[in-house]
Amino acid sequence: MGGGIGQSLLKDGLARVQREVDSVFDAMLPVPQDSRARLVEAMRYAAIGGGKRVRPLLLVSTAELFGVDRDRALRAACAVEAIHVYSLIHDDLPCMDNDDLRHGKPTLHKAFDDATAVLAGDSLHALAFEILADPETSADPFIRVELISTLGRASGKDGMAGGQMMDMMAEEQDYDLHTITRLQQLKTGALLAASVEMGAIMGHVPPEGRAHLRAYSRDIGLAFQIADDLLDHEGDETKAGKALRKDDGQGKQTFVTLMGAEKAREQAKALVEQAVGHLAAHGEDARMLAAVARYIVERDR
Amino acid sequence: MGGGIGQSLLKDGLARVQREVDSVFDAMLPVPQDSRARLVEAMRYAAIGGGKRVRPLLLVSTAELFGVDRDRALRAACAVEAIHVYSLIHDDLPCMDNDDLRHGKPTLHKAFDDATAVLAGDSLHALAFEILADPETSADPFIRVELISTLGRASGKDGMAGGQMMDMMAEEQDYDLHTITRLQQLKTGALLAASVEMGAIMGHVPPEGRAHLRAYSRDIGLAFQIADDLLDHEGDETKAGKALRKDDGQGKQTFVTLMGAEKAREQAKALVEQAVGHLAAHGEDARMLAAVARYIVERDR
């Protein structure tokens, strides 16, 4: 699991899952022959191409640990990614973060219009649950329902959307490190953790068997957000494919403003090593999950 | 099933389900003690109080035909209503219909702000699927998954959201009666039909046993929209609790512009009688569903 081997494993793993996710979305989103065409074209614009696909890679890599069929795992991975993509579309809207650039291309509301962006986000949101409810994702309805319940909780008011609300209030309120940690656990951590959890659910791992994976997710979730704050603070906009230095401009507290860049970087690295430690029982089988953890702090976008 | 008796039955049925839906939402949406409070307050503002609750009444009345426990049916009814409420929140946004008034009070983005309205809509959307995935809605995971699949399809690109997209394109395209009918089947009809279908699913009615209920839903869905167009054309804004005469101003084709008010009114009445006819096999047990059908063309809001 050295840096070089881990990096090449990760690069191949990401490239493969990027191709696969694009291909599943392409098949799921045929453009209809009526005036809904514009809606589906907008969904395709946002869902296909671009995106690191970290969440899908987490889900399929966890599922692989437990021998889950890859095509089924990929469907669940696309459900998680559909939620992630819809949240980016709505986040980028003028009334939210008002961003013009995402994955190096114009944001959806720039390429289409605001109303289409709202509707395309809503439609991707519904698509996630349609995918999970379909027997093609799992023949076992217990599994399908547990996947839906896990994703619903991770994305709603007690997960991602709740974290986004806390983030919106951050400009007015001086959050301390405890509150910033809680905010990020909801805003970013919940969906990353759901990806890992859903892979284990598909592998019929009971809740008590998922504790070490939850610990792994908690650590990489936090490391991911610290890395994001560092990127926002000192990254390259061209590589990132989006506007940076926004937190600084809004006077928001982040891990970097609260801890300083140097300490934040050390903390992220320590979290990643701790995360990798939680995978010990899986030995070499977990090398992709270990590589994802390391990638999270080393990425430049 | 005469007018007078039907009206009093309907009035009591609506009043009861309005109280019950408010009470379920109240219990499901406790305000948290952190900065997510604003999000949950916004969800409560939109979900509790106001709203005719036609969809919940359709769901519980259908479920009652098949002996479903009322508390369980009410949970599913709140899932459908959560979808309906989220769609109204997003529809009212400045970038969509830009409405200031809903159910006689300021729209959510007016009472809070646009960003909170986007997030509250998204959170109610997720809540719908969280409710349906919960064993309290049905002990049978097959039933839960079928409910989720039905609601997901009815609300996404091949249902409500698809219909809204067609509606948005209506200003630029001259739709004929066939296309307007298809648009309305998606935009309004899909969720009304899902309400009835979900009641039958909870009653373990197999798909082949639901054909007459589907026929009922198709007819009331169309009648509902014709009645809406008539209300928009000649209704009282104070009673309706929202802005009217918008279609006229935008030069959009509607059932009223295409058929004329008189013929549209006759058509709506004929559809309602046809809908009631589909319920014949249930006899007196279906009197509430018959009353809902009649209410749909007689309502003034």
Side-chain angles (χ1 to χ4, degrees), chain A residues 128-137 144 148, chain B residues 145-146 148-149:
Chain A
F129 296 103
E130 287 181 75
I131 294 171
L132 296 181
D134 192 308
E136 277 193 52
T137 303
R144 300 208 294 281
I148 290 160
Chain B
V145 153
E146 204 174 346
I148 290 161
S149 169

Side-chain angles (χ1 to χ4, degrees), chain A residues 167 170 173-177 180-181 183-184 225-226 228-233 246-261 264:
Chain A
D167 199 25
Q173 301 183 1
D174 251 354
Y175 288 147
D176 59 14
L177 198 56
I180 291 280
T181 304
L183 182 169
Q184 297 301 353
Q225 192 57 44
I226 296 175
D228 240 30
D229 288 352
L230 282 163
L231 263 178
D232 188 78
H233 184 68
K246 297 187 56 171
D247 291 339
D248 294 359
Q250 292 167 341
K252 267 191 200 173
Q253 299 291 18
T254 70
F255 287 113
V256 175
T257 63
L258 286 167
M259 304 170 79

